[in-house]
Each structure stands twice: as C-alpha cells, then as structure tokens.
Amino acid sequence: MERPRRREPARAALAAVVLGATLAAADAARAVEPRTTLSLDQYARGNPEGVTVSATLARQWDQPDGAGPLAQGRYALASAGLGLCPAWAQLSLGGEWVPVAPLQLRAQYDLFGFFGANGALLAVAGPDARFGRDELTALAGRERAGLGHRLLLAPTLRARAGLVILRSQTDVALYRLTAEAGFRYESEYDTLVGRDDVVLQNRTALLVPWPGAGAAVLVGPVHEITWAARADLARERIGGLAYWTPAGPVLGLDRPRILVYAGVNLRDRNRAGEPFAIVGVGGDVDVAPRRAAPEPTSAASRP
C-alpha cells in the first residue's frame, strides 16, 4: 500500500485528517517519478458547528532513500487549494518538505474572502467576550465583508516504535484582517483574534493500527491546545481519533478516507466539560500517476 502524502492543514478538521492520512501505511513502494494529485475533502463538526469543503492540487517529489532510518521517506511538495464554507472562501498556496524522516516542515499562505454573513468577521465586545452558541446567535447581523491574510507555519515531529506512531504538529498562524480595530470571532480555531494577531495550536497524537485491520484503520488518543495571543485566550481538548482508508480505489477515488475525531473540552471559556466532534470524508485522484519502483522499500523504521 502506498504511503499517502500530507495534505493542506488549514482547518481544525483538516489538521486532524493529517494526523492519520500521512501515516496510514506501514510499508511503501518508493516512487521513481513525481505525482500530481487532486484531493477532495468535506468536513463537518459539532460544538462549534461548521461545514467546509476543499479541493487541493499538489505535486510531490520523492527523494531516494538513503542509508539509515533518518534518510527514509523524504520528499518535497507544492500545493494550491480552494476552501469554502458558509462564512468565507479561501485560496491557499503551500509548500512542504521532509529533510529527515522525523521532521516535516510546511509553510502556507491563505487569502480569505469573507461574505459578511454566517459569522464572517463577527465583531465581539472585547478580548473577554464569550462566544458560545447562544452568544454567537445573539451577535448575528454584526458580520462584515472583507479580506483576511494568514501565514501558516506548521513544523511536525514524527516518530515510530513498533506499531505505535507519535505525531506532534504545531501551527503558528499569523493573521492580518482588513477590518477596523477590535476583536473578531475566528471559526477555524474557534477563538478571538485582533486585526493583527498570532494563534498557536499544538496537536499531539499516539496512533496504532486497529487489531486485525492492518494499516487500513488507525486509532488513538489526541491532545490539543490552542492559544490566541492578543486575547490571551487558551483552550485545551482531549479526544480520540479513528481514521479509515481501504486498500484500493473506491468510486473513482484513489485513496478514499473517513475520519472521526471526538472528545471533550477540558479548558474552554464557553464549552468547558462539553463534547466536540469532527467528521471528515474525502479522497484523492491521481491526475498524473507515477510508476512505483520495482523493489519496495520497507518503512518499518520510518515515522
């Protein structure tokens, strides 16, 4: 089974998919040609509610495996994507590089176009404002149309011991909004941001194959913490992730997938002690397929 590549990590649901999708295979046939892939995904979440669809076109170049575990599974990738939800449309340009097996580096620029409805650029009273379901409903009508810019840096540490996979991804999101001074509700990270702001998020997961399911199903616990700088606002979650992908194509998709990520908010201004859930479905289409090397390389020591 071929090792799936890393996809755009923009929304929280998308980032959760990344935890499973890049690590789903235990053994991989190293490619001898680049591959161009179109990824199609849809995500729905509860508490807070939201739906997003996205399409990402990516070109990946694998490096030959070298001697030792650190020189396995290296690659470079360039991508362009479109995302859409009821509040905004998003254009993304990104690049990703794995210089050594335990380290994955990604940089991405996002341009948001806010529709002025459904919570877009929703103004709140200040950094201490609440933004639970009732509060957001009461603020309806205070949305604004406009643009937003974000630079996303996402270093990821990866490790593997036997069947156990460790993945720790940190998002450093730098925001610039074309809006008047004050604080706005940001639905992706479910937090408050100023006109110029920084949001940090770390998500760490321990994943193992489901017994008897081989590499097609990964399950495990996830810990997540998010902090917005201007509002000095933190949220902590703990949950579980299950990621499923079949061994072959389904309905014309080369790598179909289903993700479920659910848990409880341990520390949250609006939702402490309440459950949350994210469900994602999607798949890839190989636009320009590539040949696999005739002799597969074992990835038993590859994170």
Side-chain angles (χ1 to χ4, degrees), residues 255-277:
R255 284 165 296 280
R257 49 188 171 265
I258 297 176
L259 165 102
V260 178
Y261 172 38
V264 64
N265 292 290
L266 296 180
R267 178 167 48 130
D268 188 290
R269 176 183 296 175
N270 306 281
R271 304 177 182 89
E274 297 180 7
F276 71 91

Side-chain angles (χ1 to χ4, degrees), residues 127-148:
D128 297 323
R130 295 181 62 86
F131 47 94
R133 182 183 292 108
D134 293 340
E135 288 82 6
L136 292 178
T137 299
L139 290 172
R142 299 186 63 183
E143 294 93 343
R144 297 289 185 273
L147 297 176

Side-chain angles (χ1 to χ4, degrees), residues 49-202:
E49 288 69 31
V51 176
T52 304
V53 295
S54 68
T56 302
L57 187 66
R59 182 74 165 172
Q60 179 172 320
W61 298 266
D62 287 329
Q63 294 181 258
D65 288 339
L70 295 182
Q72 308 297 306
R74 297 171 299 165
Y75 67 88
L77 180 147
S79 65
L82 293 172
L84 182 65
C85 80
W88 42 255
Q90 173 189 2
L91 170 65
S92 301
L93 298 174
E96 188 170 291
W97 181 39
V98 176
V100 292
L103 181 62
Q104 186 179 60
L105 303 173
R106 183 171 180 84
Q108 180 173 306
Y109 166 73
D110 299 307
L111 174 64
F112 293 94
F114 296 98
F115 300 146
N118 301 308
L121 289 180
L122 185 63
V124 298
D128 297 323
R130 295 181 62 86
F131 47 94
R133 182 183 292 108
D134 293 340
E135 288 82 6
L136 292 178
T137 299
L139 290 172
R142 299 186 63 183
E143 294 93 343
R144 297 289 185 273
L147 297 176
H149 306 270
R150 180 177 66 187
L151 177 62
L152 180 67
L153 306 176
T156 301
L157 297 177
R158 316 181 302 172
R160 183 167 192 160
L163 295 178
V164 179
I165 297 165
L166 168 68
R167 184 177 178 89
S168 182
Q169 177 178 315
T170 299
D171 288 0
V172 182
L174 310 176
Y175 282 89
R176 178 65 188 270
L177 305 176
T178 57
E180 59 270 23
F183 286 86
R184 309 282 162 173
Y185 175 66
E186 203 285 324
S187 60
E188 250 185 80
Y189 291 104
D190 186 34
T191 193
L192 302 180
V193 296
R195 184 168 54 186
D196 297 283
D197 214 336
V198 179
V199 177
L200 304 179
Q201 183 180 82
N202 176 267

